[in-house]
Amino acid sequence: MADFKNPSARWASATTFCGGVGGLSVVIGEQIKPLFESNSDVFQYLLLAENITAFVSDYLTPYSFIFFGLSYSEIVPRKYIRMLRYFLFIPVIGMIMFYPVYPTFVVPYSLATFWVVPYILTGIILLIWSYIMEKNPFTKRSRFYTCLAFIPTMIYAVTTSYFLRIMDIEEGWRYNYWIALFLFVVSITSLFRFGLVGVRLRVQRQSLNYSIQQLTAETSVMNHGMKNDLGLIKLYGEKIKNYAMTTNQVNLQSDIDIILQMHEKMQNTMMRIQQQTKDQKLYIGEYRVVDMVERCLYQSKAKLKDSGIKVMNSMKCDLTICCDRLLIEEVINNIVSNAIEAMPTGGELTIDIAKNRKNVILIIKDTGIGIPKEHFTRILEPFFSTKSNPKENFGLGLLFCYNVVRKHGGKIDFYTNEGVGTTVYLAFPRIKENR
């Protein structure tokens, strides 16, 4: 439900559903069915339900799991996965043809092991491979907890449900509730804290989106009201200044100049706040990421030199994204500016570009002071700033970056270590030509 369009999320849900159906089969067979032994019609329906749920658990769980591994690892292109869905379903069809679910459902465990175990092992290998190959630490952490949730569960389940039964140990599967509990705890914890199967349930993120909408609306109203008041201040201020000049009142003219300067400062402040909070209209085109980064570095050349910061340009991939160039360059400028302020005594600014099957990832890393843990969860809050000059920094820069990247269908992540530095990851959808 949280990410229905994500195929790996759907296959992961299918895997857990099919596995859980096995428990339902046991409940029907051992708890519900005996209550209706005197009613043959209801008893037969319950028997059929018991057999169908057992079939789903025994055969569709490994089938779902291998496709979860294929989708999640992104090793195999989607068009081939669609073809494999039919090919890999052949053993399931064979099972139902030779071992029907009614009136008696029998699982030939020795025979089924020849395709069930390879399906599960392949899924496990694909999950491990996706974790090893992942470079983004945020995604890598999410993949770790996905592996932690599914791999022990599938190994335990295939051991108790197949291998032990082949060894004539029939009741081992009854201990599966322990591994089911483990899966549940890891899944729920990971969904809220780290992410699982590419899905992360965060009330803070939903609240942030709402705050952006509310802030945009309120800023527009405030700007409209203050614009009229500032206009009147300027109008009457200039009239008084002209009067002071014609009457040769030097002191009054000097005072009015201060008022007009403050008017201009207030107007510029309002313009900056509105620029960073307004709902930006996108003018999309195709632009090389390297070109945008190099323009931003050139604009910051003097600041970088004065601060003694060495730029480590590791951009080797020539990648193109669909974006509003001016807005994305403003985002990059914002992040580079924050990095410069975080390294007042010098350091290294490393910029790199990476890619995966879905995204182009721009990585901006500094060796600055980092962000304190108590402040890290608040860096996207409107008007929150850790900078020493709050009069010039409204705490809207990163909020602006988040809003722009989100409108491009991308993601922005931060990785910080106090005293070591901060890394910002900007992920943008790849265009078709790059796939």
Side-chain angles (χ1 to χ4, degrees):
M1 292 295 291
D3 194 7
F4 183 76
K5 294 183 179 180
N6 183 353
S8 58
R10 294 200 302 269
W11 283 113
S13 300
T15 302
T16 52
F17 173 81
C18 292
V21 162
L24 178 60
S25 176
V26 175
V27 171
I28 294 173
E30 297 186 356
Q31 304 294 328
I32 301 177
K33 196 172 65 174
L35 300 176
F36 296 90
E37 288 182 349
S38 59
N39 190 327
S40 60
D41 291 336
V42 176
F43 187 86
Q44 292 302 316
Y45 283 121
L46 290 173
L47 176 61
L48 179 61
E50 177 190 7
N51 293 346
I52 290 175
T53 49
F55 174 87
V56 169
S57 177
D58 288 324
Y59 297 145
L60 296 188
T61 300
Y63 175 80
S64 299
F65 183 66
I66 189 173
F67 281 100
F68 166 47
L70 288 168
S71 301
Y72 189 65
S73 64
E74 300 179 348
I75 294 175
V76 179
R78 288 187 183 180
K79 61 180 181 180
Y80 297 121
I81 293 179
R82 295 190 189 100
M83 296 169 57
L84 286 172
R85 280 190 306 194
Y86 303 104
F87 178 75
L88 295 179
F89 199 68
I90 293 175
V92 180
I93 296 175
M95 288 291 121
I96 200 170
M97 287 178 60
F98 293 101
Y99 301 93
V101 297
Y102 190 81
T104 303
F105 177 61
V106 177
V107 180
Y109 291 102
S110 298
L111 177 62
T113 300
F114 283 101
W115 67 271
V116 168
V117 173
Y119 279 23
I120 291 177
L121 286 179
T122 301
I124 290 172
I125 292 170
L126 289 170
L127 292 184
I128 295 173
W129 179 257
S130 70
Y131 169 75
I132 293 173
M133 297 304 294
E134 182 59 55
K135 303 301 181 184
N136 186 329
F138 295 95
T139 308
K140 195 178 186 73
R141 184 171 58 182
S142 174
R143 290 186 183 276
F144 170 78
Y145 283 97
T146 301
C147 291
L148 180 63
F150 281 93
I151 292 176
T153 303
M154 297 307 296
I155 292 175
Y156 190 94
V158 78
T159 300
T160 57
S161 298
Y162 284 87
F163 291 132
L164 292 184
R165 277 172 165 161
I166 292 173
M167 299 165 60
D168 293 327
I169 303 175
E170 292 290 338
E171 299 300 310
W173 59 268
R174 292 188 181 276
Y175 296 97
N176 282 358
Y177 64 84
W178 286 110
I179 199 66
L181 180 62
F182 170 81
L183 171 63
F184 177 77
V185 172
V186 173
S187 298
I188 295 300
T189 304
S190 302
L191 277 170
F192 284 96
R193 296 194 60 191
F194 311 109
L196 189 78
V197 200
V199 179
R200 190 175 184 182
L201 302 179
R202 293 193 60 184
V203 177
Q204 301 99 310
R205 184 65 56 90
Q206 296 173 357
S207 176
L208 180 60
N209 292 338
Y210 174 75
S211 297
I212 291 173
Q213 297 173 1
Q214 190 176 28
L215 181 64
T216 300
E218 291 177 355
T219 303
S220 298
V221 173
M222 182 178 67
N223 183 71
H224 180 73
M226 292 193 67
K227 184 178 180 181
N228 294 333
D229 294 340
L230 289 171
L232 290 174
I233 292 173
K234 183 177 182 181
L235 174 64
Y236 288 109
E238 289 178 344
K239 281 186 177 183
I240 296 172
K241 182 178 180 180
N242 290 333
Y243 173 76
M245 291 174 65
T246 55
T247 57
N248 199 26
Q249 298 187 52
V250 179
N251 290 336
L252 178 59
Q253 184 178 339
S254 177
D255 292 342
I256 293 300
D257 283 338
I258 294 174
I259 292 175
L260 292 175
Q261 289 173 10
M262 295 303 296
H263 159 269
E264 185 177 358
K265 184 177 180 181
M266 290 176 65
Q267 193 171 42
N268 289 337
T269 298
M270 285 303 304
M271 288 179 62
R272 288 172 61 190
I273 292 176
Q274 187 186 32
Q275 184 66 26
Q276 291 186 322
T277 58
K278 72 178 183 179
D279 190 15
Q280 304 283 353
K281 183 179 180 180
L282 302 183
Y283 298 91
I284 299 296
E286 293 184 12
Y287 301 98
R288 296 173 68 237
V289 179
V290 173
D291 292 341
M292 291 188 287
V293 172
E294 288 181 346
R295 268 193 294 269
C296 294
L297 291 176
Y298 182 79
Q299 294 171 13
S300 303
K301 186 177 180 180
K303 288 184 179 180
L304 290 165
K305 185 177 180 181
D306 293 342
S307 301
I309 297 172
K310 183 179 180 181
V311 178
M312 309 294 290
N313 192 336
S314 303
M315 298 182 293
K316 297 179 181 180
C317 300
D318 186 12
L319 299 172
T320 302
I321 62 173
C322 288
C323 67
D324 184 313
R325 182 180 66 82
L326 294 179
L327 287 179
I328 296 302
E329 287 185 2
E330 183 63 24
V331 168
I332 299 171
N333 274 325
N334 225 314
I335 295 170
V336 170
S337 177
N338 286 344
I340 293 173
E341 292 188 26
M343 297 183 286
T345 58
E348 288 187 357
L349 178 67
T350 304
I351 300 182
D352 197 3
I353 300 176
K355 64 178 180 178
N356 56 31
R357 190 167 174 266
K358 294 182 179 179
N359 298 311
V360 171
I361 303 170
L362 177 60
I363 306 166
I364 303 175
K365 179 181 180 182
D366 66 59
T367 56
I369 57 177
I371 303 172
K373 289 182 178 180
E374 62 270 21
H375 294 156
F376 184 69
T377 57
R378 301 185 60 194
I379 59 176
L380 292 178
E381 285 185 14
F383 303 111
F384 176 80
S385 177
T386 60
K387 295 180 181 178
S388 58
N389 51 341
K391 292 183 179 179
E392 298 295 328
N393 296 282
F394 308 112
L396 295 173
L398 292 180
L399 180 66
F400 167 80
C401 295
Y402 168 81
N403 200 24
V404 169
V405 173
R406 180 177 61 89
K407 289 198 69 173
H408 281 79
K411 293 189 295 184
I412 181 170
D413 280 318
F414 303 88
Y415 180 81
T416 188
N417 194 347
E418 192 172 359
V420 177
T422 301
T423 305
V424 182
Y425 294 84
L426 299 170
F428 302 97
R430 293 180 63 178
I431 59 178
K432 294 180 179 179
E433 288 77 7
N434 285 333
R435 288 180 180 174

